[in-house]
């Protein structure tokens, strides 16, 4: 977006700041996560089957920037662009004084908290009210000389952050896009309250006044309002929620447990996210038994969270990335953790080898076309109920991480369930929830593969922890 509207925006947004109250002294806290298609958030949901074709298509849109690293030891830029995406898991957030309450998606591949603001040049329709900065006594625009604003995009922080920023008329503007999704506006500071539990005064956030969703602003009243009203960036960059809570005596360690959609249980199916080192209180997840520890692999302190994938097991048969990579045996596969997309994406040659193993072990099922026209291979699994895949006879799949040990690398293993690896695109059809990318050595680890695992990001140890759990009952 060109900044032709700069003078209008600056006039609308520049006003005085009232000092916020002192921050919370909490050392850890836990919040609900709600799937946008859950019985909690939408009634009725946008589609009877999760996800809709648009949700799956947006999974592909999120990786439009994929390209290969010329040299894995000295990457100059991230081959997969950081993105906003549609957002599947929502957190209740309040901004301003008095507070404006919204539901925003959590995004591990973003470093920005943002929401749609008025006066709005172009905004998509949402269920929550737009934020009005001039109604908040604690709002202030972020000045250009703030260390959070990076007008010089040659700085390391700006180069690896999900934000692009520019300075105009003394105000800091941001721009963030992914495929056909974008948000553009002013960076400001205000009180940000998380689910009425923790108050973060003076938090930096994006006030989006030029926002597009799927290539259009979608203000039509017929368009559903199950979309999030912005996002909460959980990335490792300086503007993320993780970095903000770290300023208030909460460690940079955080964990989440993602529920499948349409879960109905004692707590109505809400998942959880925890900031700080205290474990969830449920005895089934509070110890570290049966936990897989995986080292993170950062390109830069401000890059996204990623790990090295050794291979994928299909029904006991191993597919090693190095043996099927089109780039040769010396290339490693870096997988980016992504809460905002359902699918897991693999380099095409590796995906083809995994999908071939799946097909070889599902000959007892009738192969069919995906009704949504997005995924393959797909199978007739009629007789199932809703999105339950536990009783479907598909091969067990395992993820094998590359772990350092004794100067060499050895794979650590994580067993996945059918609902982590297959997805029902209609009542009677289930498809492999993996898809190919054009990248030679970078993939995306989507949220379906993470459901019903307690996933911990230990920033002190630079490790990911995976532990199987019933997330709806934590």
């Amino acid at each position: 977006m060109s900044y032709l509207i700069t003078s209008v925006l600056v006039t609308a947004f520049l006003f005085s700041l009232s000092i916020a109250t002192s921050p919370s002294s909490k050392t850890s806290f836990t919040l609900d996560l709600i799937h946008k298609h859950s019985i909690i958030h939408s009634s009725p949901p946008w589609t009877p089957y999760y996800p809709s074709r648009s949700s799956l298509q947006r999974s592909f849109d999120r990786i439009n920037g994929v390209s290969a690293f010329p040299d894995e030891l000295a990457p100059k830029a991230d081959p997969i662009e950081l993105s906003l995406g549609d957002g599947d898991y929502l957190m209740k957030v309040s901004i301003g004084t008095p507070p404006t309450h919204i539901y925003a998606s959590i995004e591990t591949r973003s470093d920005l908290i943002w929401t749609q603001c008025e006066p709005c040049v172009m905004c998509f329709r949402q269920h929550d009210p737009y934020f009005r900065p001039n109604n908040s006594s604690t709002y202030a625009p972020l000045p250009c000389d703030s260390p959070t604003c990076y007008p010089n995009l040659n700085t390391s922080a700006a180069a690896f952050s999900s934000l692009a920023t520019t300075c105009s008329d003394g105000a800091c503007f941001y721009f963030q896009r992914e495929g056909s999704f974008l948000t553009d506006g002013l960076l400001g500071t205000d009180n940000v309250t998380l689910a009425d539990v923790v108050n973060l005064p003076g938090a930096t956030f994006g006030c989006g006044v030029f926002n597009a969703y799927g290539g259009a602003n979608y203000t039509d009243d017929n368009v559903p309002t199950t979309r999030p009203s912005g996002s909460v960036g959980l990335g490792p960059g300086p503007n993320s929620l993780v970095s903000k809570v770290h300023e208030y005596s909460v460690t940079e360690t955080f964990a989440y447990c993602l529920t499948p959609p349409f879960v109905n249980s004692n707590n109505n199916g809400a998942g959880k996210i925890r900031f700080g080192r205290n474990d969830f209180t449920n005895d089934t997840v509070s110890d570290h038994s049966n936990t897989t520890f995986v080292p993170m692999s950062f390109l830069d302190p401000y890059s996204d969270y990623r790990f090295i994938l050794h291979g994928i097991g299909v029904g006991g048969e191993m597919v090693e990335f190095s043996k099927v990579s089109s780039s040769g045996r010396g290339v490693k596969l870096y997988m980016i953790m992504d809460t905002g997309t359902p699918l897991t994406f693999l380099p095409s040659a590796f995906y083809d080898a995994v999908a071939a193993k799946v097909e070889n072990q599902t000959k007892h099922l009738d192969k069919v076309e995906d009704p949504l026209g997005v995924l393959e291979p797909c199978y007739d699994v009629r007789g199932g109920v809703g999105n339950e895949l536990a009783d479907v006879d598909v091969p067990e799949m395992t993820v094998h991480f590359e772990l350092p040990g004794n100067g060499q690398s050895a794979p650590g293993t994580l067993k996945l369930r059918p609902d982590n690896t297959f997805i029902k695109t209609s009542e009677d059809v289930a498809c492999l929830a993996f898809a190919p990318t054009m990248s030679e050595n970078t993939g995306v680890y989507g949220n379906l593969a993470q459901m019903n695992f307690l996933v911990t990001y230990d920033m002190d140890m630079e490790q990911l922890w995976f532990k199987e759990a019933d997330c709806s009952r934590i």
Side-chain angles (χ1 to χ4, degrees):
M1 168 190 174
S2 61
Y3 295 94
L4 298 177
I5 59 173
T6 297
S7 60
V8 176
L9 294 175
V10 172
T11 300
F13 285 107
L14 294 178
F15 31 76
S16 62
L17 170 68
S18 297
I19 302 300
T21 58
S22 60
S24 169
S25 60
K26 290 179 178 289
T27 57
S28 66
F29 54 91
T30 301
L31 309 172
D32 283 344
L33 289 180
I34 302 172
H35 196 285
K36 68 177 183 179
H37 291 302
S38 72
I39 59 175
I40 307 169
H41 183 252
S42 53
S43 179
W46 171 222
T47 174
Y49 309 114
Y50 169 75
S52 64
R53 182 186 187 282
S54 57
S55 294
L56 290 176
Q57 187 59 54
R58 281 189 289 271
S59 288
F60 289 90
D61 291 342
R62 287 174 73 91
I63 62 161
N64 281 341
V66 173
S67 62
F69 284 153
D71 181 353
E72 68 175 81
L73 298 179
K76 302 301 181 183
D78 192 335
I80 298 181
E81 62 185 20
L82 293 166
S83 58
L84 297 176
D86 186 36
D88 288 326
Y89 292 90
L90 309 180
M91 177 192 299
K92 183 180 178 182
V93 178
S94 302
I95 302 175
T97 308
T100 297
H101 305 290
I102 63 171
Y103 282 91
S105 64
I106 61 166
E107 295 283 345
T108 51
R109 290 178 57 199
S110 173
D111 293 333
L112 179 66
I113 303 170
W114 74 274
T115 190
Q116 298 194 110
C117 291
E118 291 186 344
C120 191
V121 177
M122 187 179 86
C123 287
F124 54 81
R125 185 168 172 257
Q126 65 182 41
H127 180 270
D128 303 315
Y130 297 143
F131 178 68
R132 296 174 177 264
N134 57 354
N135 287 353
S136 175
S137 63
T138 46
Y139 174 85
L142 194 72
C144 283
D145 59 1
S146 168
T148 307
C149 185
Y150 298 103
N152 181 359
L153 293 183
N154 293 322
T155 65
S156 175
F160 285 92
S161 172
S162 58
L163 289 177
T165 61
T166 187
C167 182
S168 180
D169 292 347
C172 184
F173 288 82
Y174 77 92
F175 175 77
Q176 185 170 3
R177 69 168 303 190
E178 175 271 326
S180 57
F181 303 87
L182 64 86
T183 177
D184 196 338
L186 275 166
L187 288 178
T189 62
D190 209 331
N191 291 348
V192 172
T193 304
L194 307 177
D196 302 323
V197 174
V198 174
N199 181 41
L200 304 174
T204 300
F205 76 106
C207 217
V209 295
F210 188 96
N211 310 292
Y213 176 90
N217 61 337
Y218 287 135
T219 57
D220 192 323
D221 288 343
N222 293 323
V223 174
T225 57
T226 56
R227 297 182 302 275
S229 303
S231 72
V232 175
L234 299 177
N239 294 311
S240 76
L241 179 63
V242 177
S243 297
K244 189 63 182 177
V245 298
H246 180 53
E247 297 176 13
Y248 298 141
S249 301
V250 178
T251 68
E252 288 186 280
T253 296
F254 70 99
Y256 53 70
C257 213
L258 305 180
T259 56
F262 306 122
V263 170
N264 188 4
S265 64
N266 293 337
N267 69 351
N268 289 326
K272 301 291 181 181
I273 184 168
R274 181 199 70 227
F275 295 89
R277 282 200 170 275
N278 290 354
D279 288 312
F280 290 115
T281 57
N282 190 306
D283 291 338
T284 62
V285 295
S286 60
D287 62 75
H288 292 160
S289 61
N290 300 318
T291 300
T292 301
F293 298 88
V294 183
M296 295 185 196
S297 297
F298 290 103
L299 292 179
D300 178 272
Y302 300 110
S303 75
D304 41 42
Y305 309 104
R306 58 184 67 198
F307 59 85
I308 300 175
L309 182 63
H310 178 77
I312 292 177
V314 182
E317 296 185 43
M318 181 68 166
V319 183
E320 294 184 29
F321 171 73
S322 63
K323 293 183 178 179
V324 299
S325 170
S326 59
S327 302
R329 294 177 64 89
V331 176
K332 297 182 184 298
L333 173 54
Y334 294 89
M335 297 293 290
I336 296 173
M337 295 290 290
D338 192 347
T339 56
T341 189
L343 303 179
T344 290
F345 290 88
L346 303 173
S348 57
F350 185 42
Y351 164 81
D352 289 342
V354 172
K357 290 289 187 185
V358 171
E359 291 193 59
N360 286 339
Q361 298 187 32
T362 50
K363 293 180 179 179
H364 58 287
L365 297 175
D366 292 332
K367 189 175 179 181
V368 296
E369 296 294 322
D370 176 11
L372 303 181
V374 176
L375 300 175
E376 61 177 357
C378 300
Y379 301 95
D380 186 337
V381 292
R382 68 186 62 197
V385 179
N387 198 43
E388 293 295 328
L389 287 164
D391 297 328
V392 177
D393 187 15
V394 293
E396 180 180 274
M397 300 182 69
T398 51
V399 176
H400 297 259
F401 307 96
E402 186 168 295
L403 307 178
N406 300 322
Q408 298 181 347
S409 59
T413 304
L414 188 67
K415 183 188 297 185
L416 302 180
R417 297 172 309 281
D419 59 354
N420 295 127
T421 56
F422 281 79
I423 184 170
K424 295 190 75 173
T425 57
S426 78
E427 185 176 359
D428 298 328
V429 176
C431 302
L432 183 66
F434 290 56
T437 78
M438 297 302 293
S439 173
E440 294 181 355
N441 70 331
T442 307
V444 173
Y445 198 71
N447 61 47
L448 284 174
Q450 301 176 53
M451 288 189 317
N452 279 333
F453 283 95
L454 175 60
V455 183
T456 300
Y457 294 68
D458 189 326
M459 301 301 292
D460 293 332
M461 300 295 293
E462 296 190 353
Q463 288 182 334
L464 289 165
W465 307 352
F466 295 87
K467 182 180 176 65
E468 188 171 2
D470 183 350
C471 296
S472 68
R473 298 185 181 276
I474 290 180

